[in-house]
Amino acid sequence: MSPRTTTIAKAVNEGLRRAMEDDPKVLVMGEDVGRLGGVFRVTDGLQKDFGEDRVIDTPLAESGIIGTAIGLALRGYRPVCEIQFDGFIYPAYDQIVSQLAKMGYRSGGKLSLPVVVRVPYGGGIGAVEHHSESPEAYFAHTAGLRVVTCSNPADAYFMTQQAIRSDDPVMVFEPKRRYWDKGELDPAAEPLPLHAARVARAGTDVTVAAYGPMVRTVLEAATAAEAEGRSLEVVDLRSLSPLDLDTLVASVERTRRLVVVHEAPTFLGLGAEIAARVTERCFYHLEAPVLRVGGFHLPYPASRLEEEYLPDLDRVLDAVDRALAF
Amino acid sequence: MTVPVVGGPGGRPPQPPLVQLLTPEGERVEHPDYSIDVTPDELRAFYRDLVLVRRVDAEATALQRQGELGLWASLLGQEAAQVGSARALAPQDYVFPTYREHGVAWCRDVDPVTLLGLYRGVNLGGWDPAEHNFHLYTIVIGSQTLHATGYAMGVQRDGAVGTGDPARDTAVIAYFGDGATSQGDVNEAFVFASVNNAPVVFFCQNNQWAISEPNERQTRVPLYQRAAGFGFPGLRVDGNDVLAVHAVTRAALDRARRGEGPTFVEAFTYRMGAHTTSDDPTRYRIEAEVEEWKLKDPIARVKALLARTGQAGEEFFAAVEAEADRLAEHVRSECLAMPDPEPVSMFDHAYRDPHPLVAEERAWFAEYHAGFEQSGVDESGLAAAAQAQR
Ligand SMILES: Cc1ncc(C[n+]2csc(CCOP(=O)(O)OP(=O)(O)O)c2C)c(N)n1
Ligand SMILES: [Mg+2]
């Protein structure tokens, strides 16, 4: 397959397709993933090509989806579950946190649970309540899970397959408002390791770390900052658990300033953890405290307010200014 | 608020009939749908299982009382439900237990000592599920019914149902309690199993209590009747009758293996002891109820049948007692010999693939711990010092 331009949604689809071709044990399951191809069409065409036994339209019950996926994994399958929207993952929270995350540990390493949970997440699509949330920190907080998120088609394609190959359970958060963003995909390229962060844009003055939907926002902020003579280094974290701190610390040691950006509320969010750890490792390098840009400590507001709620280019640049002012 | 209950005498709904093949008095009776031919050997084997399992349970309770276990969940009274059902399993069948299925574990050749690890606190479930086709104990009420259903869906995808090959066709059995039937997961498992026609038997031990809550707090219909609403058969069996439980479970497993889908078996039994060693049932139930159920003891009726029909005599009963004593001694001595795990071993197996954060914390902990050893202070030394100060 040759390099081409594609979207994140199509790249996930191709990643799933490749994984299903490579391993007959890979299953796709979830609400409306079969005939419809998923509400975002991410699983489009898979049931037609792989059959109803491998692409399963499940009953409308999230705990049931994860619980039966665990059973399938115990029987030797590698289920990839789709949770239709971020805000509907909570009925499955118990199965994810108490069973999926802990069963391997409980077994003393005798059992492996190669289950992938795909979650379209984040706001910015003008949706009704429960369709715009960023629940990734709940899962990053849970030992036993791996948590990753993609920001571009190439990562979407490779991370999907890497997550499926992992013998640990992996949560893949997909930035739903970026599903139709275009980017280059070279299926023959050598992918980064699943848990590596990536310097998405080199710079010298401030490191701005982001992930998922905020990577594009931060890259746009970097372009705008350049016009004002400020050089931002953008780190796409890609993996939220484990965190690739080495890549981040190396960047902060160069720029001496760090701003962390995510859509999720800042209170006890990934930014808080990153600030604590980077401060511990870079205390003598830092010229300013680590600053965070994120959602407010609110339930996700009505969609006519989401532009005010979500971090945007200006809020990122405001934090950059504050970091440089120290 | 009191909820009015319609139905039988005393405001209780009329109780439906049980499938029974052996009365509490030890009389063999027939049932139109379920019959069983038990050879003397088989009957004696059931008796032996029941006695040994009860003895292991009693020994574990004693070990808890003596401080060797943190907790124990006794199966007292439920031996027939567990042995009768588990002895209907084929080797390739797969079991998903709760935390009380010590009798099922016994029938799956899990050394009872292994069961104690979890209750002693030296591990979280020490056996290899694949070795026994017996999953780890599940403590979160109801979760395992979904795992069983998913496993059964995997069995279907492997083409291991309905082939007619008795060594290949596979059924799955999920154990759970009466309280568990109120859980969303159990109801979701019924839905998933039903629409997939999955080869799973839902085996509910209705021991009348969920800690302090009686059946009336969980349901207004007999539990087995729930199955009808999900689209598969359900039935109630005398859970203290090892023969009836065996016949009913065997039929349900066969049905599953033939590819005819799930069955709900409600084994009507009684939790003779406390919920666990931490519980005090005198706060919520009357002794008369326990006394009533003592008359329905699952072991006494098998013994009565064996003795009355001359299928076993004193010599056999004494031999089983002696074997039970030896087993109890094995459980006791092995339990006392169970070492506490190495502290650093807690970092093992949280992930299968390397994880930098766990590796970092493990390294820190190991160094921190080594610091105590070098300075000659171990934790017991610290504890002793603290004790001396008080
Ligand atoms: C989800 C959940 N809620 C509460 C508990 C605490 N708990 C442990 S056992 C139990 C009662 C279970 O009753 P039942 O299902 O009838 O099983 P039994 O103990 O009688 O065998 C409760 C409430 C738990 N383990 N899991
Ligand atoms: Mg109960």
Side-chain angles (χ1 to χ4, degrees):
Chain A
M1 280 191 290
S2 51
R4 72 201 101 113
T5 303
T6 188
T7 65
I8 290 181
K10 286 215 171 75
V12 176
N13 179 283
E14 285 182 48
L16 290 170
R17 179 176 289 279
R18 269 301 295 274
M20 295 187 82
E21 284 164 358
D22 289 351
D23 183 351
K25 294 290 187 186
V26 175
L27 310 175
V28 166
M29 54 197 288
E31 294 156 10
D32 308 295
V33 299
R35 195 182 296 190
L36 179 66
V39 292
F40 295 105
R41 307 295 182 269
V42 167
T43 55
D44 190 33
L46 296 180
Q47 190 181 65
K48 187 165 106 346
D49 294 339
F50 295 98
E52 292 182 15
D53 272 354
R54 292 190 65 194
V55 182
I56 309 167
D57 273 328
T58 66
L60 209 170
E62 286 75 13
S63 190
I65 294 168
I66 303 300
T68 54
I70 289 170
L72 281 156
L74 292 171
R75 181 73 189 182
Y77 287 87
R78 304 183 91 84
V80 184
C81 304
E82 177 173 300
I83 298 293
Q84 199 161 69
F85 286 90
D86 36 56
F88 306 129
I89 198 166
Y90 308 112
Y93 190 70
D94 172 56
Q95 282 286 347
I96 295 173
V97 168
S98 294
Q99 303 300 331
L100 186 59
K102 297 181 177 138
M103 201 178 280
Y105 189 67
R106 186 179 303 144
S107 75
K110 295 183 188 79
L111 300 176
S112 65
L113 278 295
V115 175
V116 172
V117 184
R118 296 181 35 245
V119 192
Y121 81 121
I125 61 163
V128 295
E129 200 187 356
H130 312 297
H131 293 73
S132 305
E133 300 186 6
S134 297
E136 64 274 14
Y138 299 125
F139 302 99
H141 187 64
T142 301
L145 300 175
R146 294 173 181 274
V147 183
V148 300
T149 178
C150 54
S151 68
N152 59 71
D155 279 355
Y157 175 75
F158 289 115
M159 289 169 101
T160 298
Q161 295 175 69
Q162 290 167 320
I164 293 169
R165 273 198 303 273
S166 167
D167 284 331
D168 290 315
V170 184
M171 314 269 311
V172 183
F173 284 89
E174 298 171 0
K176 74 165 86 76
R177 73 159 131 157
R178 308 295 189 209
Y179 265 148
W180 303 279
D181 279 14
K182 290 203 168 101
E184 288 303 305
L185 167 62
D186 177 4
E190 184 62 34
L192 281 177
L194 182 58
H195 296 294
R198 177 179 66 98
V199 176
R201 177 189 168 115
T204 52
D205 299 342
V206 180
T207 299
V208 186
Y211 56 83
M214 281 291 110
V215 173
R216 183 174 127 187
T217 306
V218 167
L219 285 170
E220 287 166 0
T223 304
E226 190 178 30
E228 296 172 15
R230 288 170 173 182
S231 167
L232 307 191
E233 176 145 306
V234 178
V235 175
D236 180 353
L237 291 167
R238 299 175 77 255
S239 176
L240 308 182
S241 176
L243 282 167
D244 175 7
L245 281 174
D246 291 346
T247 299
L248 195 54
V249 163
S251 171
V252 173
E253 283 176 355
R254 287 193 299 272
T255 64
R256 298 173 167 256
R257 290 179 169 83
L258 174 61
V259 173
V260 187
V261 183
H262 49 59
E263 284 190 25
T266 53
F267 187 73
L268 290 174
L270 261 296
E273 184 63 30
I274 289 166
R277 288 185 183 269
V278 169
T279 302
E280 195 174 329
R281 286 181 57 177
C282 304
F283 192 64
Y284 294 108
H285 285 91
L286 285 170
E287 298 282 355
V290 179
L291 298 180
R292 290 169 293 160
V293 181
F296 301 115
H297 194 60
L298 298 171
Y300 199 88
S303 64
R304 291 296 174 104
L305 291 167
E306 71 181 342
E307 276 186 35
E308 301 300 325
Y309 171 85
L310 288 168
D312 61 4
L313 186 146
D314 290 329
R315 294 234 300 262
V316 173
L317 291 178
D318 170 70
V320 166
D321 286 348
R322 283 188 286 131
L324 284 167
F326 273 92
Chain B
M1 188 190 74
T2 338
V3 183
V5 177
V6 287
R12 283 183 148 228
Q15 291 297 314
L18 301 173
V19 177
Q20 191 179 67
L21 300 175
L22 180 62
T23 69
E25 294 73 34
E27 299 292 338
R28 280 283 277 114
V29 289
E30 294 303 320
H31 189 279
D33 301 326
Y34 298 95
S35 64
I36 189 167
D37 283 322
V38 263
T39 65
D41 275 348
E42 285 166 345
L43 195 60
R44 285 191 294 266
F46 277 133
Y47 177 82
R48 173 178 170 271
D49 282 338
L50 295 170
V51 170
L52 296 186
V53 157
R54 178 171 290 185
R55 187 56 195 272
V56 166
D57 186 72
E59 197 63 29
T61 299
L63 284 163
Q64 194 282 333
R65 292 286 176 246
Q66 292 153 8
E68 296 297 336
L69 302 179
L71 183 81
W72 182 249
S74 168
L75 64 29
L76 189 64
Q78 298 175 219
E79 298 87 351
Q82 297 194 13
V83 167
S85 56
R87 285 297 178 207
L89 294 164
Q92 71 272 20
D93 293 344
Y94 211 97
V95 179
F96 286 84
T98 75
Y99 42 79
R100 207 188 287 287
E101 263 63 83
H102 322 311
V104 182
W106 168 257
C107 298
R108 298 306 275 183
D109 293 328
V110 178
D111 185 332
V113 172
T114 321
L115 304 175
L116 302 187
L118 158 69
Y119 290 101
R120 189 170 163 89
V122 301
N123 59 42
L124 303 172
W127 58 94
D128 183 354
E131 200 179 305
H132 304 278
N133 280 13
F134 183 78
H135 189 63
L136 300 172
Y137 278 1
T138 297
I139 293 176
V140 182
I141 300 296
S143 299
Q144 77 282 4
T145 57
L146 281 169
H147 309 156
T149 302
Y151 191 94
M153 290 163 63
V155 167
Q156 289 177 297
R157 279 158 182 76
D158 292 344
V161 278
T163 69
D165 176 355
R168 176 167 174 76
D169 288 343
T170 301
V172 183
I173 189 165
Y175 287 87
F176 55 102
D178 44 287
T181 60
S182 299
Q183 282 286 354
D185 275 8
V186 174
N187 288 273
E188 291 186 21
F190 292 168
V191 171
F192 276 69
S194 173
V195 300
N196 287 291
N197 211 35
V200 57
V201 174
F202 294 108
F203 192 92
C204 175
Q205 287 169 86
N206 180 354
N207 62 8
Q208 314 302 322
W209 294 93
I211 309 188
S212 70
E213 299 202 6
N215 274 195
E216 289 72 22
R217 294 280 90 218
Q218 314 291 346
T219 186
R220 298 198 65 193
V221 297
L223 291 173
Y224 77 93
Q225 288 180 6
R226 296 253 181 102
F230 292 94
F232 53 88
L235 64 107
R236 180 181 278 186
V237 60
D238 181 347
N240 287 12
D241 171 353
V242 72
L243 301 183
V245 171
H246 189 69
V248 158
T249 312
R250 192 174 57 186
L253 291 167
D254 280 344
R255 198 180 109 83
R257 293 192 204 99
R258 285 197 304 270
E260 293 169 21
T263 304
F264 182 115
V265 176
E266 178 188 359
F268 207 69
T269 180
Y270 195 76
R271 196 195 77 208
M272 296 301 290
H275 169 67
T276 65
T277 45
S278 302
D279 177 39
D280 173 13
T282 63
R283 292 178 70 98
Y284 55 80
R285 73 182 186 188
I286 51 166
E287 193 53 26
E289 185 181 282
V290 182
E291 291 303 318
E292 199 181 307
W293 277 90
K294 270 189 190 154
L295 303 174
K296 301 177 190 167
D297 183 66
I299 302 185
R301 64 178 83 181
V302 180
K303 189 171 188 182
L305 177 65
L306 281 169
R308 191 171 38 73
T309 54
Q311 295 181 74
E314 276 316 313
E315 206 177 312
F316 169 76
F317 295 128
V320 173
E321 284 311 313
E323 188 182 0
D325 287 345
R326 288 195 302 277
L327 182 60
E329 176 47 34
H330 161 75
V331 167
R332 166 165 296 271
S333 57
E334 294 291 312
C335 174
L336 301 186
M338 255 185 215
D340 282 354
E342 283 298 316
V344 77
S345 73
M346 73 174 139
F347 293 95
D348 295 342
H349 308 306
Y351 294 89
R352 289 189 85 81
D353 296 334
H355 191 286
L357 180 57
V358 176
E360 181 190 323
E361 292 181 350
R362 170 204 282 272
W364 179 88
F365 178 82
E367 199 179 322
Y368 173 78
H369 219 257
F372 286 111
E373 279 152 29
Q374 272 160 23
S375 64
V377 185
D378 66 7
E379 277 136 306
S380 57
L382 287 175
Q387 191 82 33
Q389 275 186 351
R390 270 188 239 121

